[in-house]
Short mmCIF file of all heavy atoms in Angstrom, two decimals:
data_model
loop_
_atom_site.label_atom_id
_atom_site.label_comp_id
_atom_site.label_asym_id
_atom_site.label_seq_id
_atom_site.Cartn_x
_atom_site.Cartn_y
_atom_site.Cartn_z
N SER R 19 7.52 -34.13 2.15
CA SER R 19 7.97 -33.26 1.06
C SER R 19 8.04 -31.82 1.54
O SER R 19 7.17 -31.34 2.27
CB SER R 19 7.00 -33.36 -0.12
OG SER R 19 5.71 -32.98 0.27
N GLU R 20 9.10 -31.15 1.16
CA GLU R 20 9.27 -29.75 1.50
C GLU R 20 9.00 -28.92 0.25
O GLU R 20 9.83 -28.83 -0.65
CB GLU R 20 10.67 -29.49 2.06
CG GLU R 20 10.92 -30.16 3.40
CD GLU R 20 12.24 -29.73 4.02
OE1 GLU R 20 12.89 -28.84 3.44
OE2 GLU R 20 12.61 -30.28 5.07
N ASP R 21 7.81 -28.37 0.20
CA ASP R 21 7.41 -27.57 -0.94
C ASP R 21 8.19 -26.25 -0.93
O ASP R 21 8.13 -25.49 0.05
CB ASP R 21 5.90 -27.30 -0.85
CG ASP R 21 5.36 -26.61 -2.08
OD1 ASP R 21 5.85 -25.52 -2.40
OD2 ASP R 21 4.44 -27.17 -2.72
N GLU R 22 8.93 -26.00 -1.99
CA GLU R 22 9.78 -24.81 -2.03
C GLU R 22 8.98 -23.53 -1.89
O GLU R 22 9.42 -22.57 -1.25
CB GLU R 22 10.59 -24.79 -3.33
CG GLU R 22 11.68 -25.85 -3.39
CD GLU R 22 12.57 -25.71 -4.62
OE1 GLU R 22 12.48 -24.66 -5.29
OE2 GLU R 22 13.35 -26.63 -4.89
N ALA R 23 7.79 -23.50 -2.48
CA ALA R 23 6.95 -22.31 -2.38
C ALA R 23 6.53 -22.05 -0.94
O ALA R 23 6.54 -20.90 -0.47
CB ALA R 23 5.72 -22.45 -3.27
N ILE R 24 6.18 -23.14 -0.23
CA ILE R 24 5.80 -23.00 1.17
C ILE R 24 6.99 -22.54 2.00
O ILE R 24 6.88 -21.63 2.84
CB ILE R 24 5.26 -24.34 1.72
CG1 ILE R 24 3.89 -24.65 1.10
CG2 ILE R 24 5.14 -24.29 3.25
CD1 ILE R 24 3.30 -25.98 1.52
N GLU R 25 8.16 -23.14 1.76
CA GLU R 25 9.34 -22.77 2.52
C GLU R 25 9.70 -21.30 2.32
O GLU R 25 10.06 -20.60 3.28
CB GLU R 25 10.52 -23.67 2.12
CG GLU R 25 10.35 -25.13 2.48
CD GLU R 25 10.20 -25.37 3.96
OE1 GLU R 25 10.93 -24.73 4.75
OE2 GLU R 25 9.35 -26.18 4.36
N ARG R 26 9.61 -20.83 1.09
CA ARG R 26 9.93 -19.42 0.81
C ARG R 26 8.92 -18.50 1.50
O ARG R 26 9.30 -17.49 2.10
CB ARG R 26 9.92 -19.16 -0.69
CG ARG R 26 11.15 -19.68 -1.43
CD ARG R 26 11.25 -19.05 -2.81
NE ARG R 26 10.08 -19.34 -3.63
CZ ARG R 26 9.96 -20.40 -4.42
NH1 ARG R 26 10.96 -21.27 -4.49
NH2 ARG R 26 8.87 -20.60 -5.13
N ALA R 27 7.65 -18.87 1.41
CA ALA R 27 6.61 -18.04 2.03
C ALA R 27 6.78 -17.98 3.53
O ALA R 27 6.67 -16.90 4.14
CB ALA R 27 5.23 -18.59 1.68
N VAL R 28 7.06 -19.11 4.15
CA VAL R 28 7.23 -19.15 5.60
C VAL R 28 8.44 -18.34 6.04
O VAL R 28 8.39 -17.59 7.02
CB VAL R 28 7.34 -20.61 6.09
CG1 VAL R 28 7.80 -20.66 7.54
CG2 VAL R 28 6.01 -21.33 5.95
N ALA R 29 9.55 -18.48 5.31
CA ALA R 29 10.75 -17.72 5.65
C ALA R 29 10.47 -16.21 5.59
O ALA R 29 10.91 -15.45 6.47
CB ALA R 29 11.88 -18.08 4.68
N GLN R 30 9.71 -15.78 4.59
CA GLN R 30 9.38 -14.37 4.45
C GLN R 30 8.46 -13.90 5.58
O GLN R 30 8.67 -12.83 6.16
CB GLN R 30 8.69 -14.13 3.11
CG GLN R 30 8.29 -12.68 2.87
CD GLN R 30 7.59 -12.48 1.54
OE1 GLN R 30 7.73 -13.29 0.64
NE2 GLN R 30 6.82 -11.40 1.42
N ILE R 31 7.46 -14.72 5.91
CA ILE R 31 6.53 -14.35 6.97
C ILE R 31 7.25 -14.23 8.31
O ILE R 31 7.06 -13.26 9.06
CB ILE R 31 5.39 -15.39 7.07
CG1 ILE R 31 4.48 -15.29 5.84
CG2 ILE R 31 4.57 -15.18 8.35
CD1 ILE R 31 3.48 -16.44 5.72
N LEU R 32 8.10 -15.21 8.62
CA LEU R 32 8.83 -15.17 9.90
C LEU R 32 9.74 -13.96 9.99
O LEU R 32 9.82 -13.30 11.04
CB LEU R 32 9.64 -16.46 10.08
CG LEU R 32 8.84 -17.75 10.30
CD1 LEU R 32 9.78 -18.94 10.40
CD2 LEU R 32 7.98 -17.66 11.56
N ALA R 33 10.44 -13.66 8.90
CA ALA R 33 11.33 -12.50 8.90
C ALA R 33 10.53 -11.22 9.10
O ALA R 33 10.96 -10.30 9.81
CB ALA R 33 12.12 -12.45 7.59
N ASP R 34 9.37 -11.15 8.48
CA ASP R 34 8.52 -9.97 8.59
C ASP R 34 8.00 -9.81 10.01
O ASP R 34 8.00 -8.69 10.57
CB ASP R 34 7.35 -10.11 7.61
CG ASP R 34 6.70 -8.77 7.28
OD1 ASP R 34 7.27 -7.73 7.65
OD2 ASP R 34 5.61 -8.78 6.68
N VAL R 35 7.56 -10.91 10.62
CA VAL R 35 7.07 -10.85 12.00
C VAL R 35 8.19 -10.45 12.95
O VAL R 35 7.98 -9.65 13.88
CB VAL R 35 6.46 -12.21 12.42
CG1 VAL R 35 6.16 -12.23 13.92
CG2 VAL R 35 5.19 -12.49 11.63
N LYS R 36 9.37 -10.98 12.71
CA LYS R 36 10.51 -10.65 13.57
C LYS R 36 10.84 -9.16 13.49
O LYS R 36 11.22 -8.54 14.48
CB LYS R 36 11.72 -11.48 13.16
CG LYS R 36 12.89 -11.41 14.13
CD LYS R 36 13.98 -12.40 13.72
CE LYS R 36 15.10 -12.43 14.75
NZ LYS R 36 16.16 -13.40 14.37
N THR R 37 10.67 -8.59 12.29
CA THR R 37 11.01 -7.18 12.08
C THR R 37 9.88 -6.24 12.50
O THR R 37 10.11 -5.24 13.20
CB THR R 37 11.34 -6.94 10.59
OG1 THR R 37 12.43 -7.77 10.21
CG2 THR R 37 11.71 -5.48 10.35
N ARG R 38 8.66 -6.53 12.07
CA ARG R 38 7.55 -5.58 12.26
C ARG R 38 6.60 -5.94 13.39
O ARG R 38 5.70 -5.16 13.73
CB ARG R 38 6.76 -5.44 10.96
CG ARG R 38 7.55 -4.86 9.80
CD ARG R 38 6.61 -4.35 8.70
NE ARG R 38 5.81 -5.42 8.12
CZ ARG R 38 4.50 -5.35 7.95
NH1 ARG R 38 3.81 -4.28 8.33
NH2 ARG R 38 3.84 -6.36 7.38
N GLY R 39 6.74 -7.13 13.97
CA GLY R 39 5.92 -7.49 15.12
C GLY R 39 4.43 -7.50 14.83
O GLY R 39 3.96 -8.10 13.86
N ASP R 40 3.68 -6.81 15.68
CA ASP R 40 2.22 -6.81 15.58
C ASP R 40 1.71 -6.44 14.19
O ASP R 40 0.74 -7.03 13.69
CB ASP R 40 1.63 -5.80 16.58
CG ASP R 40 1.36 -6.42 17.94
OD1 ASP R 40 1.73 -7.60 18.13
OD2 ASP R 40 0.80 -5.73 18.81
N ALA R 41 2.36 -5.47 13.56
CA ALA R 41 1.89 -4.99 12.26
C ALA R 41 1.89 -6.12 11.24
O ALA R 41 0.94 -6.27 10.46
CB ALA R 41 2.75 -3.83 11.78
N ALA R 42 2.94 -6.92 11.25
CA ALA R 42 3.02 -8.04 10.31
C ALA R 42 2.00 -9.11 10.65
O ALA R 42 1.31 -9.64 9.77
CB ALA R 42 4.44 -8.64 10.32
N VAL R 43 1.87 -9.44 11.93
CA VAL R 43 0.90 -10.46 12.36
C VAL R 43 -0.51 -10.03 11.95
O VAL R 43 -1.30 -10.84 11.45
CB VAL R 43 0.98 -10.68 13.88
CG1 VAL R 43 -0.15 -11.59 14.34
CG2 VAL R 43 2.33 -11.28 14.27
N LEU R 44 -0.81 -8.75 12.14
CA LEU R 44 -2.14 -8.24 11.81
C LEU R 44 -2.40 -8.32 10.30
O LEU R 44 -3.46 -8.75 9.86
CB LEU R 44 -2.28 -6.80 12.29
CG LEU R 44 -3.67 -6.18 12.16
CD1 LEU R 44 -4.67 -6.93 13.01
CD2 LEU R 44 -3.62 -4.70 12.55
N ASP R 45 -1.41 -7.93 9.51
CA ASP R 45 -1.57 -7.96 8.05
C ASP R 45 -1.85 -9.37 7.56
O ASP R 45 -2.78 -9.60 6.77
CB ASP R 45 -0.31 -7.41 7.37
CG ASP R 45 -0.17 -5.90 7.51
OD1 ASP R 45 -1.16 -5.26 7.92
OD2 ASP R 45 0.93 -5.37 7.22
N TYR R 46 -1.04 -10.32 8.01
CA TYR R 46 -1.20 -11.70 7.53
C TYR R 46 -2.51 -12.32 8.05
O TYR R 46 -3.18 -13.06 7.33
CB TYR R 46 -0.02 -12.56 7.97
CG TYR R 46 1.28 -12.20 7.28
CD1 TYR R 46 2.38 -11.76 8.00
CD2 TYR R 46 1.39 -12.31 5.89
CE1 TYR R 46 3.57 -11.43 7.36
CE2 TYR R 46 2.58 -11.97 5.25
CZ TYR R 46 3.66 -11.53 5.99
OH TYR R 46 4.84 -11.21 5.35
N THR R 47 -2.86 -12.01 9.28
CA THR R 47 -4.09 -12.58 9.85
C THR R 47 -5.31 -12.06 9.11
O THR R 47 -6.22 -12.82 8.75
CB THR R 47 -4.18 -12.26 11.35
OG1 THR R 47 -3.05 -12.83 12.02
CG2 THR R 47 -5.46 -12.83 11.95
N ASN R 48 -5.35 -10.76 8.87
CA ASN R 48 -6.49 -10.19 8.13
C ASN R 48 -6.57 -10.75 6.72
O ASN R 48 -7.66 -11.02 6.20
CB ASN R 48 -6.37 -8.66 8.09
CG ASN R 48 -6.79 -8.01 9.40
OD1 ASN R 48 -7.52 -8.60 10.19
ND2 ASN R 48 -6.32 -6.79 9.64
N LYS R 49 -5.40 -10.96 6.11
CA LYS R 49 -5.37 -11.47 4.74
C LYS R 49 -5.79 -12.93 4.67
O LYS R 49 -6.71 -13.29 3.91
CB LYS R 49 -3.97 -11.30 4.16
CG LYS R 49 -3.79 -11.90 2.77
CD LYS R 49 -2.35 -11.76 2.30
CE LYS R 49 -2.14 -12.41 0.94
NZ LYS R 49 -0.72 -12.30 0.49
N PHE R 50 -5.14 -13.79 5.45
CA PHE R 50 -5.37 -15.23 5.33
C PHE R 50 -6.67 -15.69 5.97
O PHE R 50 -7.31 -16.64 5.50
CB PHE R 50 -4.20 -16.00 5.93
CG PHE R 50 -2.89 -15.78 5.21
CD1 PHE R 50 -1.71 -15.57 5.92
CD2 PHE R 50 -2.84 -15.78 3.82
CE1 PHE R 50 -0.51 -15.37 5.26
CE2 PHE R 50 -1.64 -15.57 3.15
CZ PHE R 50 -0.47 -15.36 3.87
N ASP R 51 -7.07 -15.04 7.05
CA ASP R 51 -8.30 -15.45 7.74
C ASP R 51 -9.50 -14.57 7.39
O ASP R 51 -10.58 -14.72 7.98
CB ASP R 51 -8.08 -15.47 9.26
CG ASP R 51 -7.17 -16.60 9.69
OD1 ASP R 51 -6.96 -17.52 8.88
OD2 ASP R 51 -6.66 -16.55 10.83
#
């Protein structure tokens, strides 16, 4: 099953990492972990 909420979240995260690099990775890592 492809959960639409998961797919949207992942698409946003990947786009953010592609654009902001380390800053995005750091934000998500601090938040989720």
Side-chain angles (χ1 to χ4, degrees):
S19 59
E20 294 188 5
D21 187 302
E22 290 187 12
I24 290 177
E25 294 299 318
R26 284 196 300 270
V28 168
Q30 179 181 339
I31 291 169
L32 291 177
D34 200 11
V35 171
K36 190 173 185 180
T37 301
R38 297 198 297 131
D40 271 5
V43 172
L44 187 63
D45 287 347
Y46 291 119
T47 299
N48 282 338
K49 176 183 177 181
F50 297 137
D51 289 344

